[in-house]
Amino acid sequence: MDVGFSMSNSAPGEEPPFELAKKVMQKFVQRQVFAETKDELALVLFGTDRTKNSLQQDDQYQHISVHRHLMMPDFDLLEEIANQIQPENQQADWLDALVVCMDLLQTETKGKKFERLIIAVLTDLCTPASSDNLDIIIGNLKKSGITLQFFLPFPVDEEDEESDSGDRGAPGHPGTGKGLSREQQQGLDTVKHIMLSLDEEDGLEEVYSFRNALEQLYMFKRIERKPMAWPCQLTIGSSLPIRIVGYKASTEEKLKKMWFTVDAQSNQKDDVKKETVYCLDDDNETEVQADDTIQGFRYGSDIVPFSKVDQDQMKYRHDGKCFAVLGFTKQNLVQRHQFMGNQVLKIFAPKDDEHAAVALSALIRALDQLNMAAIVRYAYNKSSNPQVGAAFPCIKQDYECLLYIQLPFTEDLRQFAFPSLENKKLTPSETQLSAMDSLIDSMMLVEEDENGEPKDMLKVHHIPNPAFQRHFQCLHHRAVSPGTPLPPMEAWLKAALERPEVINQRCQAPLNELKKKFPLTEVEKKKTKKTSAQIFGKESEETDAKKAKRDEDDEEYNLADIAEGSVTSVGSVDPARDFCTLIRQKTLPFVCQQLTHRIEQLLSNKNTHYYMKSITCIQAFREQSVKLGNAELYNSYLLSLKRSIPNRGLEVFWDLLVQDRVTLISRDEVEGSTISKQESNQFLVAEEKEEEMASPTAEDTGDMDDLLDMM
Amino acid sequence: MADWNAFFKGDEDDEEPEDGEQSGGDYKITGRDSLVFLVDASKEMFIKGEDGEPSNFDMTMQVVRSVYTSKIISSYRDLIALVFYGTEQSKNPRNSFKHVYVYHDLDEPGAKRVQEVDALRGPKGAQLAAETMGSGETSLGDALWCCANLYSDIKLRLSHKRLMLFTCRDDPHGGDSVKNRQARTKAGDLKETGVVIDLMHLMKPEGFDVSLFFRDIISPPEDESELGLQLSPCEKLDDLQKRVRAKEQKKRAMARLSLCLGNDVKIAVGIFATAVQARRPGAIKLYRETNEQVRSKTRIFHTQTGSLLLPSEIKKAQVYGKKQIVLEKDEVDSLKKFGDPELYLIGFKPMEKLKVHHHIRPSVFIYPEEDEVKGSSCLFSALLKKCVEKNVFVLCRCIARRNYPPRFVALVPQEEQLDQGNVQVTPPGFNVIYLPYADDMRTLDTPQGPCASQTQVDKMKEIVTKLRFKYRSDAFENPVIQQHFRNLEALALDMPAPEETEDLIMPKMDQMDKRLGILADEFRMMVYPDNYNPDAKPAAKRKTDANSGGAEKKPKVEVPEDELRAHVNNGTLGKLTVPVLKEACKQFGVRTTGTKKQDLIDALLAKLGP
């Protein structure tokens, strides 16, 4: 990057090239850091006051300094770019800087393998460059296979080569308004010369303007994984094998990194330890060593002890890697909504095997012409579970392949019957149908453009996963400006998730029409669910009565009680009452701690009676918290309680809590609560689904990604 | 090793899996489902069909058995009972009902029960039934009353109560109006307590007239159309099985969402999982000495002080670019929040824009929820009709639940289809197809080899045509799960060996070869040269084999310490291969908890890092 004095010149109201160049670099490094590629990066500054490079000699290669040697980019580098790199006062020959970079690449890549070598030059081309050795430089660039990229304050157009640069002030490209100086024009010619001699046709595609580059760098890099080849044989019967290679073509990508827990004070991971202990389901919760446990499985109501050794011996075995055709079927019998799994494989013939390519091509074309698909048995390797799936033909302009997708097993299917919609009461009228008709017409995302070519306005598979973008945005923010709240979502990201504006405008009228034609009324929710008290009938009647009484004379906890001095801690007989009494004498945190401790004790008994008692306690806790206007303690306790439900097997208790509608304290009730009314209500609902998620234990099917990780 | 993993893994599994959306099934929240099979045991049930067809009783027992076993696999916590009526013998809790035989009372199905149902199958089963129960008088009223008692004896909370009545007699009491009335009253009582009564009427020679008696017994169909009554009686096992299957699983919405078309036009839909990958259920830990189940408790504590840490005393962190970035726990959750859960209409696209390879997870199904927003069904129906007519799908942005990042989905219209017996084979609604983001698509370097000639293609067409069959999605059982349950069955019942399972996804080589005949050879001749050996490894591979001499399979891979430290300092550990990293771990006495590359790197960094 050029940090010489001309870089900080700019027309009034415009950002100087230096700042823009710095931003480009920042964004670029950011992307590299979060993408965690193994790419290495060095930073060479020129125009610096100092000189620091391995080629410097006498007055050669002056004012060029290697700021960072070739290594993986990290936050240190980002911080350095942000804080240390300043405009300086010298000028240096950018061709000299290029040579320093080439030298650096040559010496520092020794012994390492790189796929691509790139030098990106950020400069305004204001310094004269001596083009004496230009041919040698070009020759060396070619020889070592270095790709060159230029980032300039102004755009370069191929057609514009001859035109004078005076009227380049095209909108969107400020910084070009003042026209190019003689040096710049000369420099530009040199750039063009180099680029075109490196790549005659598309050489200028690697020359960018700062603005342009920033626009392209605004989002974090999409996750890229190296495709892993899966060599196998496709078999049809016992005597017709075809060699194939499979690649994952699409799969639901996840972030590789997980959150780990650190101590809130020290931020140290090592200060926190998580421990799982096993205990018997008896009164004492007798702890049992992990070594003293064995595995068992449920067979309906029976639990069958089944040792690991036995499991291994008796488990389903197969011959390993396999892609065997079971038969062929009409494509329309394999329905889209029955696709299973979370990936699609593309199956090709191996690169070096022409015969396999011909054989596979015959199969692909035969299937395509007959409109059929192959049903296959697929097994990734010996230790993974076999699947049944479909292989569809796919013929593109420049390649052919099979697309493999997993299909369901009998056990996976749930056949639900739904009431027919062909019902007199529900059937939409003609006017309703035509309202819907015009809505659809107004909201078609695929239209023909001027040339009659269909144009898709919103391609989902071109949108980066917003979750990753947001994740990186926030992490980056926290890393560079710790102590400040997380930033709002970026505008472009929000916009990317919305309707295209033209559609949004076009659909307004039909939508309003639709609104008139279809009366919709939200049904008031009648909570018919019984509360726990009702369910447990007699057993809890007592508590109910007590509760009622307490509600009645809330002021019962008067001075007299306190004067008695009988209550000093939250006991186990009537903890809720003790709590309500104590709260008048002591601080909330202190009493809360006692109460929650008591609740935990009650819960550990796993008995409906104790559950009821706990709920009474929690209700009292809630009531008092609202009264005192302190929602934090209660909410955080309830949240942590909720999280611990699955681990402690307290689902039954949770059910009761849900039925009694013991929610979080919302903002509506206590000012300063961080919970909205809706979140408070959601609190109970959300659990329902999380439960559900937790149930299937992930089975390691062992797949391409795993292998990839091992590479 | 597994325990070791379980011990430490906890650190990383804090992040919720995002793919839980498609799981459905067991809801601990709402209580248990229950199902009572009430089976007619009169003589008519035991009459064998013509040309050796199984009797109605036999057929029923087969279905009952398959429900038992499938419940064990998919939802073992559901309660099932099996009750016979019209028997000679009586057996019920207080023996207060004559001619009602409770074979199994309401309980979770287990191995023993499956065996007992098995015993009633086939000719031997008929004999056993005759010996133990016999056929006698019929009083459906008593039978229903007895069933009502079964329900009321259950102390657990029941969420869904269903009773399936299997019979081939449309006039069980021979016109006895007192008995008929009594049965109707009891049926009414049952329905009032929330029991759904289904009739699985079986074939009899003169046809089954539902209106004669049973119309008043069974629950009205949910859509209030007459559909339910028009069903013709089941003749075949398959039909019966299908009909029972459809009713036996309670359909539950995984979630209820609003489908927002914009400008506050919102309808309510339920999301249903119609296909969920069944997995081998997780293991349960038992105490070695007593085989009793143990509970696990997880706690987070401070390593130095040893005190337990409250949620407010911990934070979450990730490392990027050698920097640890720390967030509050609720900040971590808020990262994923983009808005409230809903399906938001973006626009429409022609069906051909939905690509086969745009698949990232199994789809779900949506159906309107009239009792949330009135008018939903009508609008939904109009949307469905028009989408089918125009051959378009709906593109929506979907936030499936709170704090879930958005995904784009295609709502693909699906019209209702009925089979000849007026049974629904496909329900009306939209299938929700999840669409991939840019990150989910991989860039492949697509090799381009030579293409086949038309004669070669034609030969392959002959092969394809010879091996064609009608694919049915329910035709393949999962051999892994089947084997697992057979093993458990064998262990639970002390059987000498597990029952053989047939691996249905194994290609039937003999049959295929026979069908192909010389076609396979002919095709091979056309595409492969004489000396071609598809089993041969590519040349490059063999060379390395030769070099290593095959004797030393795993050459020792070691990196000098200073080089390794340099890697640590430069953050370039990732450049080393897994075996090298493993060796390095050994070298420095680093204990690793995982075999993944990142685990090894993390472990090394922890030991050697700054």
Side-chain angles (χ1 to χ4, degrees), chain B residues 468-510:
Chain B
R468 58 193 293 167
F469 75 112
K470 256 199 169 138
Y471 170 76
R472 276 191 10 248
S473 56
D474 57 357
F476 301 102
E477 285 184 337
N478 186 340
V480 178
I481 292 186
Q482 290 300 328
Q483 182 71 52
H484 176 74
F485 280 100
R486 296 287 154 86
N487 289 345
L488 290 181
E489 194 180 52
L491 288 170
L493 300 173
D494 278 332
M495 285 155 50
E499 210 181 310
E500 284 287 313
T501 47
E502 192 194 347
D503 189 345
L504 293 171
I505 59 166
M506 248 349 225
K508 300 192 173 57
M509 286 300 184
D510 294 346

Side-chain angles (χ1 to χ4, degrees), chain A residues 40 72 74-75 79 222-223 233 238-239 241 243 249-253 257 259-262 264 267 270-271 273 275-279 285 288 291-294 296 298-302 314 316 325 328-329 336-338 340-342 353 361 369 377 410-412 414 417-420 437 441 443 445 456 458 463 465 471 474 478 497-499 508 512 515 521 523 525 640 647 655 659 692-693 705 709-711, chain B residues 11 14 23 28 76 109 111 157 223 251 261 263 274 276 278 284-286 288 295-299 301-303 311 313 315-324 326 331 345 348-349 355 357-361 363 367 372 374 390 397 401 404 414 416 424 431 433 438-443 452 454 461 467-469 471 473 476 478 482 487 489 503 505-506 512-513 524 528 532 534-535 571 575 578 597:
Chain A
E40 296 187 12
M72 296 216 307
D74 52 25
F75 270 98
E79 266 162 41
R222 78 182 176 109
I223 294 187
Q233 274 190 9
S238 62
S239 55
R243 285 180 58 211
S250 64
T251 184
E252 189 168 2
E253 213 62 69
K257 290 213 165 152
W259 292 99
F260 54 83
T261 310
V262 297
N267 280 351
D270 296 341
D271 285 347
K273 203 163 178 188
E275 180 188 69
T276 307
V277 292
Y278 300 99
C279 56
E285 297 202 320
V288 174
D291 290 346
D292 288 334
T293 62
I294 51 169
R298 223 171 243 293
Y299 186 79
S301 51
D302 313 315
M314 292 172 75
Y316 174 82
V325 172
F328 300 96
T329 193
R336 170 79 207 223
H337 65 267
Q338 288 189 324
M340 297 294 287
N342 47 17
D353 192 336
S361 163
Q369 287 165 21
R377 172 198 175 91
T410 322
E411 293 90 340
D412 305 340
R414 282 146 210 256
F418 288 86
S420 173
D437 202 51
D441 284 341
M443 294 186 78
L445 291 163
D456 197 335
L458 195 136
I463 302 176
N465 188 337
H471 184 89
C474 290
R478 180 52 50 87
L497 300 174
E498 289 298 329
R499 269 177 206 160
Q508 291 306 316
N512 287 333
K515 198 172 178 177
T521 40
V523 178
K525 266 287 154 83
S640 74
N647 281 340
D655 292 358
Q659 277 153 27
E692 206 192 308
M693 279 176 16
D705 273 342
D709 289 329
M710 284 189 264
M711 285 301 287
Chain B
D11 243 357
D14 280 342
S23 60
K28 292 166 195 153
Y76 67 90
R157 276 183 56 221
D223 53 352
K251 57 171 189 280
L261 282 67
N263 294 12
T274 47
V276 180
I284 301 167
K285 285 225 181 287
L286 305 175
R288 191 188 291 279
R295 287 189 297 124
S296 68
K297 289 196 290 193
T298 309
R299 49 191 181 211
F301 60 87
H302 199 279
T303 9
E313 288 168 324
K315 288 185 183 177
K316 295 284 167 182
Q318 289 195 348
V319 173
Y320 274 100
K322 289 199 258 173
K323 191 175 179 104
Q324 175 173 298
V326 182
E331 283 178 329
L345 171 65
F348 298 84
K349 285 189 187 186
K355 302 287 190 246
H357 64 280
H358 287 180
H359 165 76
I360 47 166
R361 60 164 91 145
S363 65
Y367 188 84
E372 301 253 329
K374 221 165 159 272
K390 291 171 169 285
R397 183 185 66 210
R401 59 185 77 144
Y404 258 58
Q414 173 173 297
E416 181 178 24
Q424 191 178 63
N431 288 304
I433 313 270
D439 303 78
D440 304 321
M441 307 290 289
R442 297 198 177 179
T443 329
Q454 193 55 43
K461 274 188 181 169
L467 296 178
R468 58 193 293 167
F469 75 112
Y471 170 76
S473 56
F476 301 102
N478 186 340
Q482 290 300 328
N487 289 345
E489 194 180 52
D503 189 345
I505 59 166
M506 248 349 225
M512 287 174 79
D513 288 347
R524 269 208 330 257
Y528 294 152
Y532 182 77
D535 294 318
K575 288 210 171 282
V578 169
K597 189 164 185 177

Side-chain angles (χ1 to χ4, degrees), chain B residues 141-210:
Chain B
D142 279 349
L144 290 171
W145 195 345
C146 177
C147 293
N149 285 348
L150 290 182
Y151 282 116
S152 58
D153 285 347
I154 292 295
K155 291 285 170 286
L156 296 157
R157 276 183 56 221
L158 299 175
S159 61
H160 180 67
K161 298 184 252 186
R162 196 173 272 276
L163 187 146
M164 281 189 195
L165 220 166
F166 293 78
T167 183
C168 59
R169 295 184 296 161
D170 49 7
D171 184 17
H173 305 124
D176 182 336
S177 63
V178 179
K179 278 188 169 174
N180 277 354
R181 198 178 59 235
Q182 197 202 356
R184 275 197 289 270
T185 321
K186 280 297 146 202
D189 291 352
L190 270 174
K191 283 181 270 186
E192 211 152 276
T193 56
V195 179
V196 179
I197 303 179
D198 290 316
L199 178 64
M200 296 295 155
H201 47 319
L202 305 160
M203 203 51 189
K204 65 163 196 160
E206 312 89 78
F208 196 106
D209 186 357
V210 178

Side-chain angles (χ1 to χ4, degrees), chain A residues 522-538:
Chain A
E522 209 163 318
V523 178
E524 276 295 319
K525 266 287 154 83
K526 269 185 281 171
K527 266 290 157 198
T528 46
K529 273 192 192 166
K530 292 177 188 164
T531 65
S532 55
Q534 279 166 305
I535 290 162
F536 292 99
K538 274 183 206 154

